[in-house]
Amino acid sequence: MGELLTSSLVADEAAVRANVRRAARFRRTWPSVAYSLGLAHEDRNPTLADKWAGRQRAEKSMVRIRTPRIMHMSVDQYGVTMVVRTVRGVGRKHFADAAGSLADEWQMRQVWARALDDEDEWGPGFVELRTVHTDPLTRTVAATRPPVPKDLTRLELGHGERGQPEYLPLAQSAGVTVMGASGYGKTQFARSLVIKLAPSPLVQFAGANGKTTRADRGDYRVLRPRYAHLVGSDLKEVNALLTGLEAEMYRRLDHMFDWWGCDEFWDHGPTLEVPVLVTTLDECQVYLTTSAPASSPRGQLVADNVEKATNLVKMGRAAGLITFFMTQKGTGNAIPTDIRDVATGAMTFPVRSRAQAQAALGDEILDFPDKDPRKILRHPYRGVGTFLPDGAEEFTRFKSPLTSLELAEEVCGATAHYVREIPGVSVGRTRTPGGGAQTIELSKARAARAAKSARRTRPDGGRP
């Protein structure tokens, strides 16, 4: 991981220098390029001299060319960003129509045009041109130690196809479905989710891992120290976990107004006593679907699991509970449609069939064939997810950072002292009766790294 991080930094520096040279070329040739692509305005209004001579239009030799002025340029390892001021008759639509020609002229992979608004630094009347030379989605970025999150209303997923950070809203969210083919990013996403939120004492985790019967084995072994409750694939344990989470949700809804004077969790925000509860249900089809008869004990248990999970999605938003449902395919025989259809968020990593893509993202994905998750079922796109950002009109993609087991182990071990049991949940405890968090035995070297990490992660720097 250290070698990957070092090589990435060296590659970043070289890419930035190359893009600085490209930006200089863009600025130097901009008047000519803009005019040739119809992005300039020919001002034929008569000048004072024309009016004096009785002409209603300017002479051909006196036509003034109004080129959109470059107001700002910036570069990064992926490409160049340029902000231009619009001129009469040339707006965002014209820049968007010319994006392909600009990419060819500048020898860039792709160009996007976006009209700025009041929320942007420049405001209306300006257009941002974003160009990338290489595909950011094929570049693997090694995750680094995360800081204490200052904003728990959203989660940074990774970098998008334009090189910009992409976010998943957490506030006002109750359920998120995460789908994708085996080995293409779901586990990396879960690992990244936990370590980015772990440094905050205002977040508690619970979960079920359908890939193994033991909670202290498998993909969640290194994450377990930061979980308050974690179970395996046993149906009875998962049922007890969901029952406890449902009880905690009802407790919060019943008493929230008495505590805070409001009925919505996010109107007040999380506290140490009432934290955000993030639940991960990995390979959820194991305990949410069955081929057994509905009247059988297994069928009844699964039906109860589905009912409780559906309640968490429907009512968890107001209580500060966020549940992530992860499965390889999102069709009705893998995740109940009652859950899938009411989840507030949906994302998918590469999938193999159209039915899986539609189940994951809805029929709307058919309107964006260039964002079809089947097209990126290739090795360079491992860890690339597709989702519909909050308030966006079209789907977008992101590349989840590569989170090593060593980093996950250190972060979760260093923040294990934040773990508090969730009221009402009686299974999957990761804390000993004496109150200390159960952690996996580490070698002396790993234990020393974890202790050093704990000092760096604590807000007070580890000082008494």
Side-chain angles (χ1 to χ4, degrees):
M1 178 58 71
E3 294 178 357
L4 175 61
L5 184 59
T6 302
S7 62
S8 297
L9 292 175
V10 173
D12 286 350
E13 293 177 1
V16 169
R17 288 195 297 269
N19 286 326
V20 168
R21 295 191 292 269
R22 292 187 181 100
R25 175 166 57 87
F26 296 169
R27 182 182 289 276
R28 185 176 65 253
T29 61
W30 175 242
S32 173
V33 170
Y35 181 74
S36 64
L37 296 181
L39 298 177
H41 172 64
E42 293 186 353
D43 188 355
R44 297 181 179 273
N45 291 325
T47 64
L48 183 60
D50 292 321
K51 292 179 180 179
W52 184 265
R55 290 187 291 268
Q56 300 300 315
R57 295 177 65 84
E59 287 187 330
K60 187 174 182 180
S61 60
M62 298 299 292
V63 172
R64 297 172 301 283
I65 305 301
R66 307 294 188 187
T67 302
R69 182 181 176 185
I70 298 177
M71 308 300 296
H72 174 76
M73 295 189 79
S74 61
V75 302
D76 53 36
Q77 66 268 38
Y78 303 115
V80 180
T81 301
M82 185 166 73
V83 176
V84 299
R85 185 168 190 167
T86 58
V87 296
R88 182 180 301 173
V90 180
R92 188 205 67 84
K93 181 180 183 302
H94 301 85
F95 283 100
D97 292 341
S101 299
L102 282 171
D104 295 337
E105 177 69 29
W106 286 339
Q107 298 177 348
M108 301 295 281
R109 179 183 179 87
Q110 198 162 355
V111 175
W112 294 270
R114 181 176 71 93
L116 303 184
D117 53 32
D118 292 329
E119 297 181 357
D120 296 295
E121 179 182 355
W122 292 95
F126 297 87
V127 172
E128 179 187 84
L129 297 176
R130 172 60 177 170
T131 73
V132 294
H133 184 260
T134 56
D135 188 355
L137 299 180
T138 61
R139 183 175 180 273
T140 300
V141 176
T144 57
R145 180 176 300 281
V148 177
K150 297 180 181 179
D151 183 7
L152 292 176
T153 63
R154 63 179 187 173
L155 171 73
E156 183 176 346
L157 297 172
H159 62 268
E161 53 197 335
R162 305 180 189 184
Q164 81 288 3
E166 293 289 352
Y167 297 92
L168 176 72
L170 297 180
Q172 307 300 333
S173 179
V176 180
T177 57
V178 183
M179 307 167 194
S182 177
Y184 274 86
K186 296 191 305 299
T187 300
Q188 277 293 329
F189 168 78
R191 199 177 294 165
S192 176
L193 165 72
V194 173
I195 73 161
K196 286 183 177 179
L197 297 178
S200 174
L202 303 180
V203 179
Q204 295 297 333
F205 296 93
N209 183 10
K211 298 178 183 178
T212 178
T213 56
R214 291 182 54 178
D216 59 349
R217 296 291 184 268
D219 296 330
Y220 286 78
R221 176 181 60 82
V222 296
L223 304 178
R224 186 169 180 260
R226 188 58 179 88
Y227 271 71
H229 302 270
L230 184 65
V231 300
S233 60
D234 183 84
L235 278 180
K236 292 183 179 179
E237 289 189 347
V238 174
N239 184 260
L241 175 69
L242 294 175
T243 300
L245 291 173
E246 185 184 43
E248 170 61 6
M249 178 183 69
Y250 287 133
R251 184 182 77 91
R252 293 186 176 196
L253 294 175
D254 290 342
H255 298 287
M256 196 170 298
F257 186 82
D258 298 330
W259 297 337
W260 298 337
C262 60
D263 296 310
E264 296 283 340
F265 176 87
W266 291 104
D267 289 345
H268 181 278
T271 65
L272 289 175
E273 293 74 21
V274 188
V276 179
L277 294 186
V278 176
T279 303
T280 56
L281 302 179
D282 205 343
E283 297 299 340
C284 61
Q285 76 279 357
V286 173
Y287 34 82
L288 295 180
T289 62
T290 183
S291 57
S295 59
S296 66
R298 181 179 179 85
Q300 293 176 358
L301 203 56
V302 168
D304 193 42
N305 287 346
V306 171
E307 180 181 358
K308 288 178 167 53
T310 304
N311 288 339
L312 291 178
V313 175
K314 288 182 177 179
M315 295 182 285
R317 176 185 58 81
L321 276 72
I322 308 171
T323 306
F324 289 83
F325 298 87
M326 289 174 266
T327 182
Q328 291 187 27
K329 62 177 184 176
T331 52
N333 59 350
I335 178 171
T337 55
D338 288 346
I339 295 174
R340 189 186 69 195
D341 294 343
V342 297
T344 53
M347 69 174 67
T348 183
F349 292 90
V351 294
R352 300 186 183 279
S353 69
R354 170 178 288 191
Q356 291 174 331
Q358 287 181 257
L361 301 174
D363 294 338
E364 293 83 359
I365 190 61
L366 300 178
D367 298 330
F368 301 92
D370 57 323
K371 297 298 186 343
D372 192 332
R374 294 177 298 167
K375 295 182 178 180
I376 54 174
L377 191 67
R378 292 177 286 161
H379 178 74
Y381 292 98
R382 290 181 184 273
V384 175
T386 305
F387 78 118
L388 184 65
D390 189 36
E393 297 179 354
E394 63 180 59
F395 290 90
T396 190
R397 290 170 174 160
F398 68 91
K399 181 68 173 274
S400 185
L402 180 62
T403 305
S404 67
L405 289 172
E406 292 76 15
L407 177 62
E409 184 178 56
E410 290 183 8
V411 171
C412 291
T415 57
H417 57 284
Y418 291 146
V419 173
R420 300 290 183 271
E421 287 191 8
I422 301 172
V425 182
S426 59
V427 295
R429 292 188 178 94
T430 60
R431 295 177 63 85
T432 62
Q438 294 179 352
T439 57
I440 303 164
E441 278 193 22
L442 307 176
S443 64
K444 291 184 178 180
R446 287 186 175 181
R449 288 201 307 271
K452 185 177 179 180
S453 163
R455 291 194 295 272
R456 288 201 302 266
T457 305
R458 286 175 52 184
D460 60 1
R463 294 186 294 272

